[in-house]
Every structure is written in structure tokens, then in C-alpha cells.
Amino acid sequence: MNIHEYQAKQLFKSYGINVPNGQMATTKQEAVNIYTQLNVESVVVKAQAHTGGRGKAGGVKLVSSASAVEEASDQILGMTLVTKQTGAEGKLIEKVLVEETSQIEREIYLSLLVDRETANVVCVASKEGGTEIEELAEHSPEKIAKEYISIHTGIRSFHINALAKQLEIPKPLMKEFRSFCQNLYYLFITHDCSMVEINPLVITKDQHIIALDGKVGFDDNALYRHSEIQKLRDEKEEDPREAQAAQEGFSYVSLDGNIGCMVNGAGLAMGTMDMIKSFGGEPANFLDVGGSADAQKVASAFKLILSDESVKAVLVNIFGGIMKCDVIAEGLITAVKELNVSIPLVVRLEGTNVEIGKKILENSGLKIQAASTFAKAARQVVQLANQA
Ligand code: GDP
Ligand code: MN
């Protein structure tokens, strides 16, 4: 689960991390009131949406009068912000953060992530903040430093010193940088975060360290331990299909391709996506209907897949273990009839009663293409999706 910048900054503040003074507003009047209360020369009005790249997309405006605050928030509130990360459909903006501007001397990139490979927390940092880290990683990977922090010992002086060296933190700022690193790490660990990204972390002209942006993600599997974080959830920011799948008890992740996948078991689902990719196709989703899926579940999984307009063909790849293949075949037929499926459908069944299952599909008179092997099924569905 992710949260908004204004929520991340409240969290930072409560952990002793400097952030600019400011507040969230949902109307232009509120925005003007915040400006008046802040009683500063200029403020920055920032679109609140779970995406980066807002600056370049017109979602961040520096202004220095009440009327300019009104105009900026009027422009941003209600706009559809399209950034590199949102896709073409963009995000409807319903909240802005109004905060005092900072006098920037330098912009730094700093993030904490869970590194699954080494089972450490990794701090990724670069002297060149402000730009997107993906771009930096591509063009100048040597400018990115990584410090691996063991969760058993936590962040230590040697980590912080190494980071400071890379980031060229001036000596007089070391005390502040040290406590910033410790506070951020402590926040990360105590909230079971999966990522905290500050881009830019700023050194101000008057020599302080301030988090000018903030992105925080939490491990969903640990959310039950953090009721105060759960309250920060913004359902509008979540993929509606993913939310529905969670309600129905499937594992579902939306992807960018055009081949819908219905599979039972997470391992087989991953294998299916690999197989589709190896034949040059792109999966539209990851979907594990679960080992004990019944006809009803198969039907609702189908609905979910077909509600995605980019799906041009569907691959059903199911192993009949607990559920027998003939029962799955019956379920599929019911779902296809009920939903009036018009796009090509390739089915590969394996397991108990597979022959009976295949017969049932053949005799159904429906346009279902039964494939005899996993590889054939993947090749077939990629071809069909390309033709569509
Ligand atoms: P993002 O584009 O979604 O990552 O939004 P950011 O919060 O990172 O803001 C984008 C850019 O706007 C920053 O990299 C800064 O260069 C600029 N910016 C944001 N706040 C301020 C500010 O208070 N003062 C100045 N001078 N620039 C700011
Ligand atoms: Mn940023």
C-alpha cells in the first residue's frame, strides 16, 4: 500500500525528519487559507497523487500571492495529471499540498528499499537528485551509491559515513545528516515499509536538510500490525480490478500486455507468464484463482479478466488437482456462455480426469481452443492476440 506525499510528510515529521511547513487542501479557498496562515512570501502548490514526475507534468507550481495560490490550485484541483508513471489515462487530482518554498542549494536522491536478494535494507542514494532515478540508473549508474544495511544490526556510523562521502555532505551538516538517516531507517523498520523514497532530499541555502518530496510504501502482509497506517489508504488510488480481486479472494495483478491469464497456483501463474513472454507475448495480468476454485470462482475470474479492455485473447492454464478437470471444464463452459465471451480463448488442462475434461470442451460447440501442451497453448494464444 502507498500513501500520499502529504501523509508521508506528516509521518516524516513525527519521526523528527525536517519537512517544509504546509497542509493539504481540497478546495482553492482552503489553499488560500493555508497560504495566509503560513504567512510566507511564496508557497509551492503540489498535486497529490500516487505518482512521481508531477513537476514535469504541471502538477507542481511555485507561487507568491494569494491570487496566484488560488489560480494554481484551481488549475491543479480537478485536473487529470498524466505523468510517465500514470499511463495515458492519468490521475484525477482532488487534493493539493500547499507548503512554504525552500531555498534549494542542492537536490539529492535517497531511498530505502527491501533488497530481496541479500535480505537487507538497501539505501540507494545519489548526488544528482530531482531527476528520475530510473533515468540516472540507465545513463550514469556510477552516480548511484548503494549501502546494504543488515536488519539485525540496523544502520551504523559506517553506513552513514559512506553515504555522506558519496553525497558530499558538508562537515557542519553531518550531525543533522546522521540523525536524518537514523530517523528514516527507524521509521522504515517500525512501519514494515517496503520503500521510502525522498527525491529530492534538499540541502537548503541556510544549510539544513529537508525532505522536499516523500513516497512511502508498506508491506501489505504486515498492514494488520499498523492500524494507523491502514487509515491512510486511498482506495481511489488503487487499481479497481486489484481491489475487486482481493475481495473475491484471488491474487490479481494488472500488467501492461494484451493476453489475459487465468491460472491456478502462483507458481504455475508465474510459469505461464514466462512462457507467454518467451513466445513474444505480453500478459495483461497475473491471476491465481486458487487451488480449490469452483465454477463460480472461475466465472468471476473471467469477468475480472474481460473487464480489462486491453485483453485481446485469454489463456486458461489449469492443473486439476483438488478440482478435477471435468469440473473445471464445466465451469469454464458455464462462464463462457454466461459472459458471451467473444475474444479467442485457449485452454490447457492437465491433471485428474483430463481426458473427460477435454471431451467436454470439444463437445461444447463453443469457440474454445484446447491445447495439448503448455508450450502449444502459449504459442497459440500469442498468435491469436497478435492477430486481433
Ligand atoms: P515530482 O515531480 O512528482 O517528483 O515532485 P517533487 O516534489 O519532487 O517536485 C518536483 C521539483 O519541483 C523538485 O525537484 C524541485 O526542483 C521543485 N520544487 C518543489 N518544491 C520546491 C520548493 O519549495 N522550492 C523550489 N525552488 N523548488 C521546488
Ligand atoms: Mn520528486
Side-chain angles (χ1 to χ4, degrees):
M1 186 190 110
N2 296 323
I3 57 175
H4 286 291
E5 176 194 9
Y6 74 93
Q7 297 167 321
K9 282 177 166 167
Q10 280 164 6
L11 194 59
F12 289 169
K13 199 173 171 184
S14 68
Y15 273 68
I17 294 162
N18 285 334
V19 294
N21 287 321
Q23 268 188 63
M24 186 271 285
T26 54
T27 64
K28 57 183 177 183
Q29 192 51 51
E30 275 172 29
V32 171
N33 291 345
I34 295 166
Y35 172 74
T36 314
Q37 277 163 24
L38 285 172
N39 194 23
V40 290
E41 186 82 2
S42 54
V43 291
V44 53
V45 181
K46 306 178 78 176
Q48 297 299 288
H50 293 186
T51 173
R54 294 164 300 166
K56 280 182 193 150
V60 176
K61 293 185 194 293
L62 273 75
V63 284
S64 33
S65 72
S67 59
V69 170
E70 187 174 350
E71 193 183 333
S73 33
D74 194 36
Q75 275 171 10
I76 296 176
L77 289 166
M79 85 187 285
T80 300
L81 188 74
V82 180
T83 73
K84 259 191 185 170
Q85 296 174 11
T86 60
E89 74 273 18
K91 294 220 166 177
L92 178 68
I93 307 299
E94 294 178 299
K95 292 173 183 152
V96 289
L97 174 61
V98 181
E99 59 182 25
E100 66 176 319
T101 50
S102 310
Q103 298 300 312
I104 302 175
E105 185 175 284
R106 271 215 280 137
E107 297 191 13
I108 289 169
Y109 174 94
L110 193 139
S111 65
L112 292 176
L113 304 159
V114 174
D115 183 61
R116 287 160 197 271
E117 215 160 292
T118 61
N120 285 313
V121 172
V122 61
C123 179
V124 179
S126 174
K127 245 179 71 178
E128 296 196 10
T131 47
E132 276 158 69
I133 195 71
E134 291 82 1
E135 250 167 59
L136 201 61
E138 200 173 306
H139 301 296
S140 343
E142 73 287 352
K143 288 181 181 159
I144 299 174
K146 286 185 181 164
E147 278 298 311
Y148 292 88
I149 304 164
S150 159
I151 54 166
H152 304 294
T153 51
I155 192 161
R156 309 296 285 265
S157 289
F158 67 89
H159 298 121
I160 297 173
N161 291 339
L163 287 167
K165 196 172 170 206
Q166 276 281 340
L167 299 173
E168 294 176 22
I169 302 294
K171 267 240 159 66
L173 256 175
M174 270 313 286
K175 191 162 171 255
E176 200 171 311
F177 182 68
R178 206 171 286 285
S179 52
F180 162 78
C181 291
Q182 284 161 345
N183 292 340
L184 192 70
Y185 181 79
Y186 189 57
L187 182 158
F188 186 94
I189 291 294
T190 51
H191 289 84
D192 295 304
C193 290
S194 51
M195 75 104 69
V196 173
E197 183 185 67
I198 303 178
N199 187 24
L201 177 69
V202 154
I203 298 181
T204 57
K205 293 208 168 113
D206 59 353
Q207 298 302 297
H208 286 292
I209 294 175
I210 291 192
L212 215 64
D213 193 3
K215 189 174 168 185
V216 181
F218 302 91
D219 182 345
D220 289 337
N221 294 316
L223 272 179
Y224 73 96
R225 306 204 284 206
H226 306 286
S227 51
E228 77 294 352
I229 298 297
Q230 284 178 43
K231 289 186 200 132
L232 304 179
R233 172 164 249 141
D234 183 348
E235 275 165 14
K236 285 193 195 128
E237 287 285 347
E238 290 172 11
D239 183 309
R241 274 186 286 277
E242 285 180 13
Q244 199 196 331
Q247 240 174 31
E248 305 204 32
F250 314 130
S251 304
Y252 177 95
V253 181
S254 281
L255 299 167
D256 297 330
N258 60 2
I259 299 173
C261 304
M262 182 158 82
V263 190
N264 65 343
L268 189 58
M270 285 191 271
T272 302
M273 304 192 1
D274 283 348
M275 195 68 103
I276 287 174
K277 284 211 167 227
S278 79
F279 285 108
E282 286 294 334
N285 68 281
F286 169 99
L287 172 59
D288 170 12
V289 285
S292 57
D294 54 16
Q296 200 46 50
K297 259 198 159 170
V298 168
S300 34
F302 244 105
K303 265 185 211 156
L304 204 65
I305 292 175
L306 296 174
S307 68
D308 180 353
E309 280 170 16
S310 47
V311 170
K312 300 291 175 239
V314 177
L315 173 58
V316 177
N317 187 12
I318 291 200
F319 179 79
I322 300 169
M323 273 263 289
K324 296 184 180 72
C325 289
D326 51 327
V327 181
I328 294 164
E330 297 283 10
L332 274 173
I333 289 168
T334 314
V336 171
K337 280 184 182 160
E338 196 181 313
L339 298 170
N340 228 334
V341 179
S342 58
I343 55 175
L345 179 61
V346 179
V347 179
R348 180 249 178 179
L349 291 176
E350 198 52 79
T352 316
N353 290 356
V354 61
E355 290 311 324
I356 310 174
K358 281 182 182 167
K359 278 259 153 54
I360 294 173
L361 291 180
E362 267 168 42
N363 297 336
S364 70
L366 293 168
K367 245 179 58 190
I368 299 175
Q369 316 209 12
S372 52
T373 70
F374 192 172
K376 279 181 187 159
R379 186 183 293 131
Q380 219 167 315
V381 78
V382 170
Q383 263 169 13
L384 289 165
N386 287 345
Q387 283 161 16

